[in-house]
Amino acid sequence: MTLSTQQRGRVFLVVALCLLTLCITASFSTHDWQRTVQISIGLCALLYGMSMATAHREQLLIDRPTSIGLVIILGLGLVSVGFAHQPLWALTEWALLITCGSIAVAFAVLRRNGDETLDRVLILFVLLLCLIKSLQYGHSAFLAFTRGASILDMDLLLSGFSNKRFYGQFQTFTLPLLALPLLLSTTSRTARGLVFVLLCAWWLIAISGGTRGTWLGMGAAAMVLVFLGPWGRRWLAWQVTALGCGLFFYWLLFSVLARHLGVEVSNFADERLTASLSNREVIWWQAWDMIRERPLSGFGPMHFADIANPVAAHPHQAILQWASEWGVPSALCVMVLALRASWATLMVVHQRAQTRVSADLLRLCLFAALIGALAQSMVDGVIVMPNSQLWLALVVGWLMALHPWQVPGRAIPSLYRAWTVLAALSVALLIFVACRDLPYTKERNQQYMDAGKTHLQPRFWVQGVIAHEGR
């Protein structure tokens, strides 16, 4: 039995969303698990894309200048791989970029071949994820206050991520999207009230996590959307109101109630709201030294992790990371493409700032999520962490699908075939790396800690340092 175009899309969407749910909500979710899920979704995206060859050729997702820019970036990436100290790891990072692109293309094709029903499915999925995480947080807080312990460690309230900053990255993507039902005229008053309560709870968790990158990302999104018409300002009003409620309940729970019960709160959020760089200056200087030493080719994709340092396996700064690993020319191409795409989306949002069409309001929220993620990537590893890479691919893919083309065009068949071959080879390489490494992750992590290291440094895996002993 041959599945129709819509049926194939539904199968891919259900599988991808189920895997994303397991990636975030499962109690056993770790960095390595999320990387495995990412590879699995990449395989699903590849199979879906191959089954939709005709649909790919009939629609334009990116224009010719963008296609040329991507070819240049991938070509420069291969040159950088050739100069890398460990070419296989460099090629793995190169393949990971293509796989993320395949996931974005799959979501774009899915939405292009569907209708606004898929938009509702996406938002319901976001609501469900945030509801589950909020319930997990509430359950942990309830146990912390009722078990009679004298100390409440707030970091233990955040589950599903190996680092609370990764939780904050997930919230940067989802906080803007949670406001969409509050903007839609079709949302009933009861549903609007429930969504607002969830948005308040989500802000409460963001506050308690204390991830400064989330504050930076949401602040950047707010500064842009305030100039994007009445709906942008209404989006901002809902966010500010929910933020105020979240702050109030945070104070009520962890100050008033904790003091009343005689519970001492550790890892308090305001202890992390400082202007310190948290040792980022160490890794930023390392990235800058790498750029000065090899400005053209870089040290190779993933090769910041090939030079051991006591802080991290990536610079926590997207531009420095790309320039130091892929080379300055490649970083400039990426920046030009990102700015060009952002500007094109900004113009569409601005032109349709007065409309109440649900697709336009969704574009507004997706654009806010993208701005927040890009801003946070300046101080955090948004382009490194597997879950954040998945959400970035989802947001970019959906924005690609919603973008209205002024001049109709068709995809170039030869370019699509080349992309399919590259995507297949990339997914195959990632599967090989996963099969090679996953059975020995515990032993490798323990050996790393036994060598006197104080903490794991995530990159591809949770122990992401690929430097050989003494390098």
Side-chain angles (χ1 to χ4, degrees):
M1 180 179 67
T2 304
L3 296 177
S4 66
T5 297
Q6 290 187 345
Q7 288 174 329
R8 294 170 190 167
R10 290 183 190 133
V11 171
F12 167 69
L13 183 63
V14 169
V15 173
L17 295 187
C18 287
L19 288 172
L20 263 174
T21 303
L22 283 176
C23 181
I24 296 169
T25 62
S27 58
F28 52 82
S29 180
T30 61
H31 181 95
D32 291 346
W33 167 254
Q34 291 175 356
R35 184 69 73 191
T36 306
V37 168
Q38 181 187 26
I39 296 171
S40 302
I41 294 178
L43 176 60
C44 294
L46 172 66
L47 296 176
Y48 174 64
M50 293 174 67
S51 71
M52 299 293 291
T54 303
H56 269 304
R57 297 190 185 102
E58 291 178 351
Q59 53 189 274
L60 185 68
L61 293 176
I62 57 175
D63 57 11
R64 187 175 294 272
T66 304
S67 301
I68 295 173
L70 289 174
V71 170
I72 292 174
I73 291 169
L74 293 177
L76 291 174
L78 280 180
V79 173
S80 184
V81 168
F83 286 101
H85 176 240
Q86 300 188 62
L88 183 57
W89 274 121
L91 194 62
T92 300
E93 183 91 338
W94 187 81
L96 185 61
L97 173 65
I98 295 177
T99 301
C100 290
S102 299
I103 296 172
V105 168
F107 280 117
V109 172
L110 170 70
R111 177 58 180 88
R112 278 284 177 90
N113 291 323
D115 52 27
E116 291 186 359
T117 303
L118 293 176
D119 297 341
R120 292 194 288 271
V121 171
L122 173 64
I123 296 304
L124 285 173
F125 171 67
V126 173
L127 290 170
L128 177 63
L129 277 185
C130 296
L131 176 61
I132 294 174
K133 297 305 294 181
S134 297
L135 291 175
Q136 288 178 341
Y137 182 89
H139 179 256
S140 299
F142 176 78
L143 292 179
F145 280 118
T146 58
R147 66 185 178 183
S150 59
I151 298 178
L152 190 160
D153 186 351
M154 294 193 64
D155 287 353
L156 300 180
L157 304 181
L158 305 173
S159 61
F161 295 85
S162 53
N163 190 300
K164 57 191 173 187
R165 286 198 305 273
F166 310 158
Y167 202 130
Q169 293 170 18
F170 169 59
Q171 292 194 287
T172 303
F173 282 106
T174 50
L175 276 168
L177 298 177
L178 277 182
L180 178 61
L182 302 174
L183 303 178
L184 296 174
S185 59
T186 55
T187 307
S188 66
R189 180 172 297 182
T190 302
R192 186 175 282 111
L194 293 174
V195 172
F196 179 71
V197 170
L198 179 59
L199 182 59
C200 294
W202 207 227
W203 267 112
L204 166 64
I205 298 173
I207 295 165
S208 67
T211 302
R212 291 174 293 174
T214 299
W215 290 93
L216 174 64
M218 291 301 295
M223 290 176 63
V224 174
L225 262 66
V226 72
F227 297 106
L228 294 180
W231 295 107
R233 289 187 286 273
R234 188 168 296 184
W235 176 92
L236 178 58
W238 280 114
Q239 294 287 357
V240 171
T241 306
L243 168 60
C245 293
L247 282 169
F248 172 74
F249 285 110
Y250 176 81
W251 169 78
L252 198 64
L253 283 173
F254 301 109
S255 183
V256 176
L257 182 60
R259 190 183 306 115
H260 175 72
L261 296 176
V263 177
E264 180 184 351
V265 178
S266 64
N267 288 317
F268 213 61
D270 58 1
E271 298 173 359
R272 295 186 291 275
L273 295 179
T274 66
S276 69
L277 292 177
S278 301
N279 287 328
R280 280 177 174 81
E281 66 276 10
V282 176
I283 48 181
W284 287 354
W285 277 115
Q286 176 176 316
W288 178 246
D289 289 339
M290 293 168 66
I291 293 170
R292 291 191 301 173
E293 186 171 343
R294 292 190 188 179
L296 297 179
S297 67
F299 275 66
M302 205 189 294
H303 271 57
F304 187 92
D306 190 47
I307 303 174
N309 69 74
V311 181
H314 59 98
H316 289 66
Q317 215 283 345
I319 298 175
L320 287 177
Q321 178 179 323
W322 205 282
S324 64
E325 295 185 343
W326 295 64
V328 173
S330 178
L332 291 175
C333 286
V334 171
M335 292 170 62
V336 169
L337 288 186
L339 289 172
R340 188 170 178 270
S342 299
W343 181 257
T345 304
L346 177 64
M347 289 298 98
V348 174
V349 173
H350 178 69
Q351 292 166 6
R352 305 192 178 188
Q354 304 294 330
T355 67
R356 302 182 64 174
V357 178
S358 58
D360 292 328
L361 294 176
L362 175 59
R363 183 188 294 108
L364 178 78
C365 296
L366 287 168
F367 187 52
L370 181 61
I371 294 171
L374 292 178
Q376 188 169 1
S377 72
M378 297 298 102
V379 296
D380 218 340
V382 174
I383 66 170
V384 172
M385 298 304 119
N387 183 67
S388 300
Q389 289 174 341
L390 280 172
W391 280 92
L392 187 60
L394 172 61
V395 168
V396 170
W398 223 272
L399 282 172
M400 288 167 58
L402 294 176
H403 187 76
W405 290 97
Q406 295 180 352
V407 180
R410 298 181 63 186
I412 304 173
S414 59
L415 189 62
Y416 165 71
R417 286 193 292 269
W419 173 259
T420 303
V421 171
L422 283 178
L425 293 175
S426 298
V427 172
L429 176 59
L430 294 181
I431 293 174
F432 163 75
V433 172
C435 293
R436 181 196 67 186
D437 294 346
L438 278 176
Y440 310 103
T441 53
K442 290 185 178 179
E443 293 84 349
R444 186 173 62 251
N445 295 347
Q446 190 59 47
Q447 289 176 359
Y448 182 80
M449 297 302 291
D450 290 343
K453 304 298 188 288
T454 58
H455 63 282
L456 297 175
Q457 299 182 17
R459 185 66 193 256
F460 189 84
W461 300 120
V462 69
Q463 198 306 91
V465 177
I466 60 175
H468 297 311
E469 192 68 29
R471 177 171 169 77

